[in-house]
C-alpha cells in the first residue's frame, strides 16, 4: 500500500494549499462561462462525451449524489471518529450529510418545478405544434412528445455542489495523515480518500463536458451559481454558527486536547 500512501500525501499537500481551496469554487464559474462560449461558437468538435449516453454520464453523473454519499459517509464517520468518539459530535457531523441531501433535493425539485411551469409540450422537434393536453414534462415525454421549458442545468448544479462538498468534508485528512491510527482504519481511510478525489476529478471533467456540449449558457451559469450558493451558505456562513452541524475538525486530535 506504499503507492497509495504516496498518492494520499500528494493529494493532501495539494488540498492544503490555500490558493487551491480559494480558487476551486471559482473554477466552476469560469468553466461554465468559457465552455458555454465555446459551445455557442461551435469551436469544440463532437466526441464520445458529446453524447448523453457516454458511460460516465450514465453510470456516474446520473446517480452522482448516490456516489458522493456512498463514499463520503464512511469517510466522514471514520475520519471524524478519529478526532472524537462523542455521540453528540459524530451526530452533528453526520447532520452535514442530511443538510447537503436536503440542499440537493430542494434545488433539483425546484428546477423541475420551474421547467414544468415555464414549458409547453410540442408534438414535433421543430417546436411548431403545441399539444395543450399535457402540462408537465413527465406526461409530455411519456406520450412521445417534446417538452420545452426553462431548463436550469441540474448537472451543473450537482457536479459543482458535490465537488465542493467533498472538498470540505475531506479536509481533516490533512491532520489525520500524522495521527496514530491502526493499520486497517488507516488503509480504509486512505482508499476512501483516493476514491473521493477520483470522484472529484470525474465531476469536474463531466462539468466541463456539460459546459461545452449541453444546455444554454444562462441555464448552466444559473445551475452553477445555485451549487456555489448551496456550498457557501452552509460552509462559509451557517456552519460557523453554534447551532449547526459545524465545520469538519480543523486541528490534529492532539492539538484539540491541548486546546480543550
Amino acid at each position: 500500500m506504499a503507492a497509495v500512501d504516496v498518492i494520499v500525501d500528494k493529494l493532501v499537500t495539494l488540498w492544503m494549499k490555500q490558493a487551491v481551496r480559494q480558487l476551486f469554487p471559482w473554477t466552476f464559474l469560469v468553466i461554465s462561462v468559457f465552455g458555454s462560449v465555446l459551445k455557442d461558437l461551435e469551436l469544440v468538435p463532437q466526441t464520445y462525451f458529446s453524447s448523453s449516453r457516454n458511460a460516465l454520464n450514465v453510470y456516474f453523473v446520473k446517480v452522482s449524489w448516490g456516489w458522493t454519499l456512498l463514499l463520503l459517509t464512511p469517510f466522514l464517520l471514520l475520519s471524524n471518529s478519529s478526532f472524537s468518539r462523542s455521540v453528540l459530535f459524530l451526530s452533528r457531523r453526520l447532520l452535514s450529510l442530511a443538510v447537503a441531501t436536503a440542499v440537493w433535493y430542494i434545488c433539483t425539485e425546484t428546477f423541475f418545478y420551474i421547467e414544468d411551469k415555464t414549458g409547453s409540450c410540442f408534438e414535433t422537434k421543430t417546436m411548431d405544434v403545441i399539444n395543450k393536453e399535457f402540462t408537465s414534462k413527465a406526461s409530455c415525454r411519456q406520450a412521445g412528445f417534446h417538452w420545452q421549458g426553462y431548463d436550469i442545468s441540474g448537472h451543473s448544479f450537482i457536479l459543482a455542489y458535490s465537488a465542493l462538498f467533498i472538498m470540505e468534508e475531506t479536509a481533516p485528512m490533512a491532520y489525520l495523515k500524522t495521527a496514530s491510527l491502526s493499520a486497517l482504519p488507516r488503509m480504509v481511510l486512505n482508499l476512501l480518500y483516493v476514491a473521493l478525489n477520483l470522484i472529484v476529478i470525474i465531476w469536474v471533467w463531466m462539468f466541463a463536458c456539460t459546459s461545452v456540449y449541453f444546455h444554454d449558457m444562462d441555464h448552466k451559469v444559473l445551475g452553477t451559481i445555485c451549487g456555489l450558493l448551496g456550498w457557501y451558505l452552509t460552509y462559509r456562513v451557517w456552519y460557523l454558527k453554534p447551532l449547526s452541524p459545524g465545520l469538519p475538525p480543523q486541528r490534529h486530535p492532539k492539538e484539540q486536547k491541548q486546546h480543550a
Side-chain angles (χ1 to χ4, degrees):
M1 300 299 289
V4 175
D5 292 337
V6 171
I7 294 172
V8 168
D9 285 341
K10 290 185 179 298
L11 290 171
V12 167
T13 300
L14 174 67
W15 287 112
M16 282 182 68
K17 294 180 179 178
Q18 196 66 21
V20 173
R21 298 182 64 82
Q22 289 178 344
L23 293 175
F24 189 53
W26 292 102
T27 301
F28 291 102
L29 204 54
V30 171
I31 292 174
S32 186
V33 173
F34 185 64
S36 297
V37 171
L38 292 178
K39 176 182 180 293
D40 291 343
L41 296 175
E42 298 182 348
L43 295 177
V44 181
Q46 297 296 298
T47 67
Y48 172 72
F49 292 100
S50 60
S51 168
S52 60
R53 295 181 180 179
N54 72 78
L56 288 183
N57 188 58
V58 173
Y59 298 111
F60 286 88
V61 178
K62 293 290 187 182
V63 287
S64 55
W65 194 244
W67 278 109
T68 298
L69 291 182
L70 179 67
L71 294 172
L72 197 53
T73 300
F75 179 88
L76 189 149
L77 276 171
L78 188 56
S79 61
N80 282 265
S81 64
S82 299
F83 285 83
S84 172
R85 294 186 182 276
S86 164
V87 174
L88 178 60
F89 170 74
L90 292 176
S91 297
R92 285 185 64 193
R93 292 302 307 123
L94 281 174
L95 189 58
S96 65
L97 296 174
V99 170
T101 300
V103 170
W104 160 74
Y105 181 80
I106 292 170
C107 286
T108 52
E109 287 300 311
T110 301
F111 296 165
F112 293 147
Y113 178 80
I114 291 173
E115 189 176 7
D116 274 350
K117 290 302 179 182
T118 60
S120 298
C121 187
F122 294 87
E123 295 185 0
T124 63
K125 288 186 178 181
T126 55
M127 306 296 176
D128 53 359
V129 180
I130 297 180
N131 189 316
K132 295 184 178 180
E133 179 184 350
F134 303 102
T135 57
S136 70
K137 181 179 179 179
S139 61
C140 178
R141 286 193 166 182
Q142 284 176 358
F145 298 139
H146 308 277
W147 186 265
Q148 183 69 29
Y150 194 80
D151 184 16
I152 300 173
S153 176
H155 277 35
S156 294
F157 159 73
I158 193 58
L159 294 175
Y161 183 61
S162 294
L164 293 171
F165 181 41
I166 291 172
M167 176 190 76
E168 295 291 350
E169 290 298 338
T170 55
M173 198 66 176
Y175 310 96
L176 289 174
K177 70 174 186 176
T178 57
S180 298
L181 298 177
S182 56
L184 182 59
R186 169 71 68 186
M187 179 185 68
V188 174
L189 200 61
N190 284 352
L191 290 174
L192 285 170
Y193 184 69
V194 171
L196 282 162
N197 275 273
L198 286 174
I199 282 293
V200 168
I201 292 172
I202 292 174
W203 292 169
V204 173
W205 171 251
M206 293 306 294
F207 181 91
C209 289
T210 297
S211 298
V212 299
Y213 289 127
F214 305 101
H215 291 282
D216 295 333
M217 179 186 285
D218 55 326
H219 299 168
K220 288 176 285 192
V221 172
L222 186 53
T224 302
I225 290 174
C226 288
L228 295 180
L229 280 175
W231 158 76
Y232 184 83
L233 292 176
T234 49
Y235 285 92
R236 295 294 181 268
V237 179
W238 182 31
Y239 288 7
L240 301 179
K241 311 295 183 182
L243 295 177
S244 74
L247 292 171
Q250 300 296 307
R251 292 196 301 268
H252 188 281
K254 291 182 179 179
E255 293 179 30
Q256 286 191 319
K257 290 180 181 179
Q258 291 173 359
H259 285 77

